[in-house]
Amino acid sequence: TQSTGHMLRLLLPVLISVLGRGPAAHKTSLAEITSLTQAYPDVVRTLFGDNPALKQRLEGAIRAAVSQKQNVLPVRQSELSVTSVPSAAPSIALKMDFSNFK
């Protein structure tokens, strides 16, 4: 595990620095960080304990991504509510009348 600790001390700062560089890079980097933290929780906990600035950078990048995602989501919902889909004629002729069904 000592070599794993050395590897993570090199790899995690690089992955954290990639977090703010575009949506695809952010998503990939966050997935890698998540898998590493699940695979080696004790090593990552020790690394963040030794380097609180690194932990703060990771938390800040995640918070920024979450807030950006929340800001984009209402816009998309409003766009969906404004656009209306024209109703098409049904492709199947029904034998029963369901117009009063509620």
Side-chain angles (χ1 to χ4, degrees):
T1 61
Q2 188 177 8
S3 62
T4 303
H6 291 296
M7 179 196 64
L8 288 177
R9 287 189 185 277
L10 295 172
L11 185 59
L12 277 175
V14 172
L15 290 172
I16 290 171
S17 68
V18 172
L19 281 175
R21 299 191 182 178
H26 179 87
K27 186 175 182 180
T28 303
S29 179
L30 192 58
E32 288 297 321
I33 292 169
T34 303
S35 67
L36 289 172
T37 55
Q38 290 174 350
Y40 308 103
D42 296 332
V43 176
V44 173
R45 194 173 297 121
T46 303
L47 174 65
F48 285 146
D50 294 343
N51 193 350
L54 189 65
K55 182 179 178 181
Q56 289 174 350
R57 283 177 38 199
L58 175 62
E59 290 172 348
I62 292 172
R63 284 187 187 114
V66 167
S67 68
Q68 183 180 16
K69 193 173 188 177
Q70 288 176 348
N71 289 339
V72 171
L73 188 61
V75 172
R76 289 185 182 163
Q77 287 177 347
S78 65
E79 288 174 359
L80 289 175
S81 64
V82 170
T83 58
S84 63
V85 178
S87 61
S91 59
I92 301 173
L94 300 175
K95 294 181 181 179
M96 295 181 67
D97 181 24
F98 291 99
S99 62
N100 293 328
F101 184 73
K102 291 183 183 179

